[in-house]
Amino acid sequence: MPSKIRHFLTLADVSAPELMALLAKTAECKRSRRRHHAALAGQTVALVFQKPSMRTRVAFEVAVLQLGGSVVYLGQDDIRLGEREPIKDVARVLSRYVDAIVARTFAHSDAEAFARYASCPVINGLSDGAHPCQALADLFTLQEHFGRLQGLKVAYIGDGNNVLHSLAEGCAMLGVTLSVATPADYKPQPGTLGDWHEDPRQAVKGAQVIYTDVWVSMGQEQEREQRLKVFQPYQVNEALLKGAAAGARVMHCLPAHRAEEITDEVMESPRSLIVDQAENRLHAQKALLLFLMTRTKTRSR
Ligand code: CP
Ligand code: NVA
């Protein structure tokens, strides 16, 4: 009997032991890109993206190819999701053709709709609510750099957005202390708030890692002017880093807007783990595909 389909819409879709196993598998995939080179032979993954992407798209495409599978990319102009036809029809039909779907949506409920109607695993490649694939790579990067996760302190400074939601979920699962500083009107969703501060200088105290993301996420462009004003005190710069632990490192999911949420000086400094973090998307996404796609040995077609 084929085992039950697993989706990956948020980190809550895996248990803490499964998350640790995913990080171990990520390390294995990073050590050898050729390992598992035929694991997805004969399988196809569809990437259905309503928003632009560089890292997520390329990491998944390369991961699938290195695992011996094939990819179909469907941008918003290709299928006009929700406009030309409803998500439930796309999900039902697409999953008769392919073996897994990576969906990048605006509303998180659209990613959930994909999972509800698809008959294959659905991976959230970023929604307005969560970015669990990013968090996998982020947790791996922390473990790779510090040799541990338990007891680390990460400070997230900026917008209470999708990236923070998934980072917070992962930190809570694996014993990383997370402090957060956002403007009062831009707090993360309830439940992921943790140790919240309005003043970024409070949040960075004793932190070994400072994490930030854009102030204007995709889909919020009409709020840009207002956001740039409100978020000014939340810039990650050398002055803010002086209040963190000595030698604190900096993370950013990318793309970054220099001179907005982070200075060029900090981006280019030896403190930055940002490019390693981006590279690790490839290895982490490969581990995730192996976890979701090789546990169901047979599909009934
Ligand atoms: N970090 C991230 O998801 O980047 P892309 O939007 O380029 O995929
Ligand atoms: N918060 C950003 C992340 C991009 C990877 C956005 O949603 O646009």
Side-chain angles (χ1 to χ4, degrees), residues 155-159 181-183 198-204 210-215 224 227-244 250-252 256-267:
Y156 177 97
I157 310 297
D159 187 21
T182 69
E198 194 164 4
D199 182 348
R201 291 168 303 185
Q202 295 299 322
V204 302
I210 313 301
Y211 196 123
T212 191
D213 182 19
V214 291
W215 293 339
R224 182 173 169 77
R227 284 175 165 268
L228 290 195
K229 273 189 222 144
V230 174
F231 282 99
Q232 280 309 322
Y234 295 84
Q235 185 184 68
V236 173
N237 52 35
E238 284 298 340
L240 183 67
L241 289 171
K242 283 198 171 72
V250 173
M251 294 176 73
H252 191 309
H257 292 148
R258 287 167 164 81
E260 291 181 18
E261 76 276 1
I262 191 165
T263 59
D264 184 61
E265 189 185 13
V266 170
M267 284 282 297

Side-chain angles (χ1 to χ4, degrees), residues 119-133:
S119 54
C120 65
V122 173
I123 296 170
N124 178 3
L126 180 140
S127 66
D128 288 353
H131 199 1
C133 295

